Amino acid sequence: MPTPDPQSFIRNFSIIAHIDHGKSTLADRLIQLCGGVELREMKEQMLDNMDIERERGITIKSQTVRLNYKAKDGQTYQLNLMDTPGHVDFAYEVSRSLAACEGSILVVDSSQGVEAQTLANVYQAIDNDHEIVPVLNKVDLPAAEPDRIKKQIEDVIGLDASDAVLISAKTGLGIEDVLEAIVTCLPPPKGDDTKPLKALLVDSWYDPYLGVVILLRIMEGVIRKGQKIRFMATGAACDVDRVGVFTPKKLELKELGPGEIGFITAGIKQIRDTKVGDTITDDAQPTAIALEGFKPSIPVVFCGLFPVDAADFDHLRDSLGKLELNDASFKFEAENSAALGMGFRCGFLGLLHLEIIQERLEREFNLNLITTAPSVIYHIYKTDGGMIQLHNPVDMPDPMKINHIEEPWIKATIMTPDEHLGDILALCNERRGEQIELTYVGARAMLVYRLPLNEVVFDFYDRLKSISRGYASFDYVLDEYREGDLVLMNILVNAEPVDALACIVNRAASEKRGRAFCERLKGLIPKQLFKIAIQAAIGGRIIARETVSAMRKDVTAKCYGGDISRKRKLLDKQKKGKKRMRQFGQVEIPQSAFIAALKMDDK
């Protein structure tokens, strides 16, 4: 009887789902049941290593873990699990994880049903030719309707859900059935261990003790400790120091074979040598054809990050380099600002992505930062026939030299319970949206809208969640560039323009946006000993103004009764002093005011 191929006992799979449908909790239960860690070491969100992930209850980075499972047929299987994020801003993490696997577990909340990100992630899995196992989570809830949700999966996604596994990741109900479904329904990986090494670089990050750590999936050949490898995209060569897997603790091995997912360290000196999606091969016996890799991610939101203390500029540059290594969808380049000095123009996949990067820089690298207003990429067509891409509103050319401006539009999918539909339609129309489609999936409405990205990046998602009491879900893709009537709006504080708050707005909505900005800033800038004028201006025209009243110091406190003229004299002297201060006074805007002013909440 021939010995079975060791690859036939390997299963590589991702867990995909919408936000809060229970991916990380299911991963915890699988680790627990397979004995990945001892019971005393077990904690919630086992694979979420960052403090921000635990505090916010979201997954930001895809994480991998190897588990050994003894199935009902008596065989022991090697399961390589990848827990992926659910939020639209981290979709690039999901796409990379799916490329390293052959199958996916689709987790759907049995009370909420199919959501926008469920659809987006399923379509990505189908594009990667994945076998998909539907799993209905939270069946222990009183509101759970598994039969209705099974039908919804079949109607909306077109997947056969008759054999969907019913589980409660919180209580542990049905977890063994998930493991059996993984073993029986998902295909094993293919690959020849006699061929030259061909491995996909899935992720990389900086470890203060080990240097650059690389997560890879072996397609063909074997990678061993001490072997000399080469990165095909950059041509860099180095010797492998360590080979291992996460169980979820680091476990060092001698080698990794085809179909296996693990990590290596190789004393890599240059962070730039490790490009996500690159092919790793043997230096002496390279593979002939490199793997296709990943499409580069295209940032949609840009903003400037500047150190509060100019001496931190080099530290900020090193920190951004380490974060870029850890997050391939994040891009940055140096820029200079008249008001803020030297800093970096950074590109993100969305506003949550921006917030997370900023928070990580402050926590992990002890940086104190100023963030400028988020902006999208505009195409500016000049009167001389040239076209420039504008990332920073401050760099906008003279309006006399501009023929027209084009802005990016997105195609958004929104799913919502019927009772919130009216408010959501009003929100989309207020943001210059165009309705493409409105269909019903049971009691839930599915809206497809075209919206200008500029109107979405600020606070659209927050507004959508608040008006739908958290029940609406939102996903989008970039659609096209379209001509718009756009103007540059400057914010002046004490007659000085503030670079960080300049933004490009639609002319029709500029007055409303300017008034809202000035009102918001009025409540955020601390009072000084003189009046502060806050103005919104388009060119030389002031479109909105608010005034922060002066803090009154009681200069007459030392006068006990007596002649009123003495008090008058003191007050007049104070008035003259305040006038002089207003002329020369520099107003310091606190960092919290910048962030709060940008999170506009249109009432």
Side-chain angles (χ1 to χ4, degrees):
M1 190 177 167
T3 54
D5 180 6
Q7 283 180 54
S8 60
F9 300 120
I10 299 175
R11 296 290 183 273
N12 299 322
F13 64 96
S14 286
I15 303 180
I16 55 173
H18 187 76
I19 311 147
D20 284 341
H21 279 203
K23 293 179 294 301
S24 297
T25 313
L26 174 59
D28 288 351
R29 293 293 84 76
L30 294 174
I31 292 168
Q32 201 174 347
L33 195 67
C34 294
V37 291
E38 290 180 34
L39 203 58
R40 62 189 169 80
E41 298 173 298
M42 197 67 206
K43 58 186 175 188
E44 279 188 30
Q45 287 176 266
M46 189 76 201
L47 296 181
D48 292 346
N49 329 356
M50 284 187 261
D51 293 341
I52 309 175
E53 292 180 311
R54 298 183 168 283
E55 285 164 24
R56 291 180 178 238
I58 58 171
T59 300
I60 294 165
K61 284 292 300 172
S62 296
Q63 300 292 345
T64 181
V65 61
R66 178 192 281 199
L67 303 169
N68 292 316
Y69 170 63
K70 189 163 186 184
K72 289 178 180 172
D73 62 7
Q75 297 289 352
T76 300
Y77 288 83
Q78 181 197 118
L79 308 181
N80 291 309
L81 175 160
M82 281 192 150
D83 182 24
T84 62
H87 200 283
V88 63
D89 282 20
F90 307 114
Y92 196 61
E93 286 287 325
V94 180
S95 68
R96 300 210 318 266
S97 303
L98 296 179
C101 301
E102 286 78 33
S104 291
I105 293 179
L106 171 68
V107 180
V108 181
D109 185 325
S110 55
S111 58
Q112 304 253 351
V114 174
E115 305 267 22
Q117 271 304 105
T118 315
L119 284 172
N121 290 340
V122 164
Y123 293 147
Q124 278 198 40
I126 292 167
D127 288 344
N128 281 283
D129 297 326
H130 274 207
E131 195 65 47
I132 298 169
V133 174
V135 168
L136 299 190
N137 191 17
K138 308 187 186 181
V139 292
D140 56 326
L141 292 182
E145 299 175 83
D147 294 334
R148 181 177 70 80
I149 304 303
K150 277 185 190 178
K151 188 173 185 315
Q152 197 183 64
I153 292 170
E154 286 172 4
D155 293 347
V156 179
I157 305 172
L159 269 180
D160 178 19
S162 53
D163 296 329
V165 186
L166 305 184
I167 67 160
S168 164
K170 195 174 178 182
T171 62
L173 173 78
I175 301 300
E176 197 148 341
D177 298 337
V178 176
L179 288 162
E180 284 299 320
I182 290 165
V183 166
T184 52
C185 304
L186 299 186
K190 295 183 177 74
D192 187 346
D193 59 359
T194 59
K195 286 189 178 176
L197 172 67
K198 188 191 278 189
L200 175 70
L201 199 161
V202 181
D203 200 1
S204 55
W205 60 93
Y206 185 81
D207 184 291
Y209 303 107
L210 304 174
V212 178
V213 181
I214 291 169
L215 182 72
L216 42 71
R217 154 76 200 263
I218 314 292
M219 298 298 181
E220 284 173 348
V222 177
I223 196 163
R224 295 182 178 87
K225 197 172 171 178
Q227 184 176 355
K228 190 165 189 180
I229 56 166
R230 192 195 311 159
F231 298 94
M232 291 182 82
T234 57
C238 49
D239 296 316
V240 178
D241 300 334
R242 284 181 191 80
V243 175
V245 293
F246 295 101
T247 66
K249 294 181 211 163
K250 287 190 186 80
L251 174 69
E252 287 194 32
L253 304 172
K254 285 182 183 169
E255 62 180 43
L256 288 171
E260 294 190 287
I261 297 173
F263 73 87
I264 61 163
T265 62
I268 296 155
K269 302 287 183 291
Q270 291 289 323
I271 283 175
R272 305 248 173 250
D273 289 342
T274 57
K275 283 193 163 65
V276 165
D278 193 359
T279 306
I280 297 173
T281 188
D282 188 76
D283 190 48
Q285 249 194 315
T287 182
I289 303 161
L291 294 161
E292 201 176 299
F294 306 119
K295 282 186 204 145
S297 75
I298 299 161
V300 294
V301 179
F302 285 83
C303 83
L305 289 178
F306 295 86
V308 171
D309 180 356
D312 284 339
F313 177 76
D314 288 335
H315 178 36
L316 175 59
R317 183 176 49 211
D318 295 345
S319 307
L320 289 172
K322 286 169 184 171
L323 275 190
E324 187 185 31
L325 175 73
N326 185 231
D327 183 349
S329 55
F330 168 60
K331 304 279 182 284
F332 69 94
E333 60 184 39
E335 78 164 349
N336 203 347
S337 156
L340 302 168
M342 294 289 287
F344 293 90
R345 193 89 196 144
C346 304
F348 308 91
L349 294 184
L351 223 56
L352 177 67
H353 190 201
L354 184 160
E355 236 178 276
I356 295 293
I357 291 281
Q358 188 192 338
E359 205 168 321
R360 286 185 69 186
L361 285 167
E362 287 175 357
R363 284 182 184 211
E364 295 173 29
F365 302 99
N366 294 322
L367 282 158
N368 201 0
L369 299 169
I370 290 174
T371 314
T372 65
S375 166
V376 297
I377 304 174
Y378 296 96
H379 289 172
I380 300 204
Y381 290 85
K382 297 161 88 172
T383 48
D384 62 7
M387 189 275 274
I388 57 168
Q389 287 195 349
L390 184 75
H391 293 182
N392 189 347
V394 177
D395 299 333
M396 189 152 169
D398 181 347
M400 298 302 289
K401 294 180 182 172
I402 297 173
N403 182 354
H404 67 277
I405 305 174
E406 288 186 352
E407 61 179 330
W409 282 62
I410 60 166
K411 195 172 177 183
T413 307
I414 300 167
M415 300 189 78
T416 175
D418 195 29
E419 64 263 30
H420 306 302
L421 183 61
D423 290 341
I424 290 171
L425 288 170
L427 174 67
C428 292
N429 292 334
E430 178 194 311
R431 299 298 173 95
R432 300 189 282 136
E434 295 173 359
Q435 189 177 317
I436 302 171
E437 201 183 318
L438 171 58
T439 50
Y440 275 85
V441 183
R444 290 171 72 79
M446 186 165 112
L447 273 169
V448 181
Y449 252 86
R450 268 200 192 90
L451 288 154
L453 184 59
N454 185 19
E455 302 281 355
V456 173
V457 296
F458 275 93
D459 60 345
F460 182 85
Y461 189 70
D462 294 343
R463 291 283 316 283
L464 180 71
K465 283 291 180 192
S466 64
I467 61 181
S468 66
R469 303 211 308 275
Y471 284 109
S473 64
F474 173 68
D475 182 54
Y476 67 85
V477 288
L478 277 172
D479 192 37
E480 61 179 350
Y481 269 79
R482 216 188 271 190
E483 190 177 334
D485 185 12
L486 303 164
V487 288
L488 174 67
M489 184 174 78
N490 276 309
I491 301 295
L492 313 176
V493 176
N494 210 23
E496 288 288 323
V498 181
D499 271 15
L501 296 176
C503 58
I504 292 173
V505 294
N506 183 261
R507 194 186 296 275
S510 60
E511 285 195 24
K512 184 184 173 196
R513 177 64 70 88
R515 271 200 305 275
F517 239 122
C518 291
E519 281 172 20
R520 174 60 69 98
L521 269 178
K522 183 186 175 183
L524 295 166
I525 293 179
K527 287 186 176 186
Q528 310 282 333
L529 290 169
F530 52 91
K531 282 183 186 173
I532 303 167
I534 301 166
Q535 297 163 310
I538 292 171
R541 189 167 70 93
I542 303 295
I543 56 167
R545 172 178 170 136
E546 290 289 337
T547 306
V548 179
S549 58
M551 187 198 306
R552 177 163 173 153
K553 184 179 177 188
D554 190 1
V555 290
T556 61
K558 59 191 173 189
C559 301
Y560 297 103
D563 186 7
I564 189 71
S565 62
R566 188 176 167 217
K567 291 185 180 178
R568 284 258 158 75
K569 203 185 281 180
L570 283 167
L571 290 168
D572 287 344
K573 193 176 171 186
Q574 183 188 39
K575 202 182 286 180
K576 280 180 192 166
K578 281 188 178 179
K579 198 173 181 183
R580 196 167 63 250
M581 280 179 78
R582 183 159 70 249
Q583 284 171 351
F584 306 111
Q586 282 289 319
V587 180
E588 287 219 348
I589 305 173
Q591 166 65 1
S592 57
F594 277 107
I595 298 164
L598 299 172
K599 286 188 171 176
M600 302 272 285
D601 186 13
D602 309 355
K603 290 288 182 281

